[in-house]
């Protein structure tokens, strides 16, 4: 027996974060391509594009490797967020004959590519530039322009972070889940990427300012080289964290163990269902979960009763967890013990 929900679900509130099919509580009512998610990414794209150009000018004028590393950081962030917008749009396409289970997992492919862009475009350049500066030195120029650019960039990055923070905090509050737990486990990796990148951007700006100040006070470019190296290592961590999160969903991530147990109990509460022999769950997106199970029905149940039980099971699951979009139930008899005990 199979069924598929017609559209994005809503989300009842829950006091227990473990009751979420996807992230520890019921999913957010925001769909993958909701104005909140798309708007958060768009704000980040526009912000980083302007900041990247300004940082590059500041790096050239001051001769600062940390500023150039920050420019590469912003370019990488811009590419990352363009890929995230692509992920949001392409994953929202409805299921069709070529992709009967929908396009939800495609968001994680593009988001994984975004993490690679962060690593290659930002981290590698920053680490290389930092090491090159430490080995060969640099002649610090006038940092005044760079200080102004860093101050303006801090304000813009702060605003972009505030937009992402409000969305994440609002979703965590609706789920009544701790903010840290929500960020760690949310399947909405696009918003998670923007949040982590903005935090890393603000830290990177502080590091770049520290490098400039150290070089200005001492006349040594070593401080600037160390700042560039630290910025690169920071981006390595961001790329790793985002890559790991998206890889988990690409490989196939099930519902949390506690939620799987509750799904099993919900199925067993349906009349004529005697056992759940095998249960498979798969998170396909922030509001898209697949359930497949081998079910042992009562031996005396008629075909009509089995069909009704399947419909009741699907209805109950979707009512309790609206993120469940597809339910596949397979009537399967258990192995009965023979009269001779074998």
């Amino acid at each position: 027996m199979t069924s598929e929900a017609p559209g994005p679900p809503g989300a009842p509130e829950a006091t227990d974060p473990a009751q979420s099919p996807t992230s520890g509580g019921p999913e957010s009512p925001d769909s993958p391509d909701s104005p909140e998610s798309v708007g958060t990414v768009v704000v980040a794209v526009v912000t980083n594009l302007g900041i990247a150009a300004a940082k590059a000018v500041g790096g050239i004028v001051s001769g600062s490797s940390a500023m150039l590393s920050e420019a590469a950081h912003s370019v990488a962030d811009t590419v990352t967020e363009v890929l995230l917008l692509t992920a949001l749009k392409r994953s929202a396409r409805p299921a069709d004959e070529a992709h009967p289970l929908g396009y939800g997992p495609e968001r994680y492919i593009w988001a994984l590519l975004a993490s690679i862009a962060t690593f290659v475009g930002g981290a590698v350049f920053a680490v290389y530039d930092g090491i090159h500066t430490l080995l060969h030195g640099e002649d610090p120029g006038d940092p005044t322009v760079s200080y102004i650019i860093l101050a303006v960039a801090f304000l813009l990055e702060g605003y972009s972070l505030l937009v992402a923070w409000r969305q994440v905090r609002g979703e965590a509050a609706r789920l009544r889940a701790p903010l840290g737990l929500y960020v760690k486990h949310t399947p909405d990796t696009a918003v998670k990427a923007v949040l982590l990148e903005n935090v890393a951007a603000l830290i990177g700006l502080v590091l770049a300012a520290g490098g400039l100040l150290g070089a200005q006070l001492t006349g040594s470019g070593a401080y600037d080289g160390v700042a560039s190296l630290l910025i690169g290592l920071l981006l390595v961590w961001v790329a790793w964290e985002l890559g790991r999160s998206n890889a988990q969903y690409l490989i196939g991530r099930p519902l949390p163990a506690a939620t799987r147990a509750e799904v099993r109990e919900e199925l067993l509460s349906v009349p004529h269902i005697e056992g759940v022999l095998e249960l498979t769950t798969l998170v396909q997106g922030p509001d898209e979960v697949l359930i497949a199970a081998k079910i042992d029905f009562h031996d005396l149940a008629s075909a009509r009763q089995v069909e009704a039980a399947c419909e009741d099971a699907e209805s109950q699951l979707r009512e309790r967890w609206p993120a469940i979009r597809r339910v596949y139930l397979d009537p399967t008899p258990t192995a009965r013990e023979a009269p001779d005990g074998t």
Side-chain angles (χ1 to χ4, degrees):
M1 297 289 179
T2 66
S3 181
E4 182 172 336
E13 291 189 351
T15 57
D16 183 5
Q19 291 189 10
S20 169
T22 54
S23 58
E27 73 289 357
S28 166
D30 299 330
S31 64
D33 59 338
S34 68
E36 290 83 357
S37 294
V38 174
T40 297
V41 179
V42 169
V43 168
V45 170
V46 175
T47 300
N48 281 307
L49 195 59
I51 290 175
K55 287 177 180 176
V57 172
I60 294 172
V61 171
S62 65
S64 169
S65 62
M67 283 296 293
L68 292 176
S69 296
E70 272 297 292
H73 180 178
S74 294
V75 170
D77 285 352
T78 302
V79 173
T80 294
E81 284 138 11
V82 169
L83 291 173
L84 292 177
L85 281 175
T86 303
L88 290 172
K89 292 299 183 182
R90 292 183 64 85
S91 64
R93 291 178 295 170
D96 53 32
E97 186 175 353
H99 297 84
L101 297 182
Y103 291 83
E106 188 170 350
R107 72 163 34 224
Y108 300 119
I109 296 175
W110 289 95
L112 181 61
L113 292 176
S115 68
I116 295 173
T118 298
F119 178 77
V120 175
V124 172
F125 178 86
V127 170
Y128 168 79
D129 203 33
I131 294 175
H132 183 271
T133 299
L134 290 174
L135 293 178
H136 302 283
E138 69 178 21
D139 297 324
D142 185 359
T144 303
V145 174
S146 294
Y147 284 138
I148 295 174
I149 291 172
L150 288 175
V152 174
F154 195 90
L155 293 176
L156 294 175
E157 294 283 10
Y159 173 73
S160 182
L161 174 61
L162 181 62
V163 173
W165 177 264
R166 283 175 175 171
Q167 181 182 355
V168 171
R169 186 180 62 180
E171 292 175 358
R174 281 192 293 269
L175 307 180
R176 300 181 184 177
L179 184 62
L181 182 65
Y182 174 81
V183 172
K184 182 177 180 180
H185 295 290
T186 177
D188 193 349
T189 54
V191 173
K192 179 178 179 177
V194 173
L195 181 67
L196 291 183
E197 287 172 357
N198 284 328
V199 171
L202 291 178
I203 296 174
L205 292 172
V206 173
L207 291 173
L212 286 171
L213 182 61
Q216 182 182 14
L217 295 177
T218 65
S220 171
Y223 290 94
D224 202 47
V226 170
S228 180
L229 187 60
L230 292 176
I231 291 170
L233 294 177
L234 177 65
L235 292 177
V236 168
W237 174 79
V238 171
W240 167 258
E241 179 64 24
L242 295 179
R244 182 183 61 83
S245 298
N246 287 288
Q248 288 179 343
Y249 288 104
L250 282 174
I251 294 171
R253 187 169 178 175
L255 298 179
T259 308
R260 294 198 302 271
E262 293 176 0
V263 169
R264 186 181 295 271
E265 292 176 1
E266 193 72 33
L267 289 170
L268 291 173
S269 70
V270 177
H272 305 296
I273 292 182
E274 289 192 339
V276 179
L277 308 181
E278 183 178 328
L279 177 64
T280 300
T281 65
L282 181 64
V283 178
Q284 297 182 290
D287 62 348
E288 192 169 348
V289 176
L290 179 148
I291 301 290
K294 289 183 177 294
I295 303 294
D296 178 28
F297 290 91
H298 193 281
D299 289 342
L300 300 180
S302 65
R304 184 183 297 274
Q305 289 173 325
V306 169
E307 292 174 349
C310 288
E311 292 297 323
D312 291 342
E314 293 168 3
S315 298
Q316 289 182 207
L317 289 175
R318 293 198 182 109
E319 181 178 359
R320 184 168 179 181
W321 295 285
I324 295 177
R325 301 285 295 279
R326 299 175 180 87
V327 179
Y328 298 85
L329 302 180
D330 179 16
T332 306
T334 56
R336 305 296 184 183
E337 184 175 304
D340 59 1
T342 59

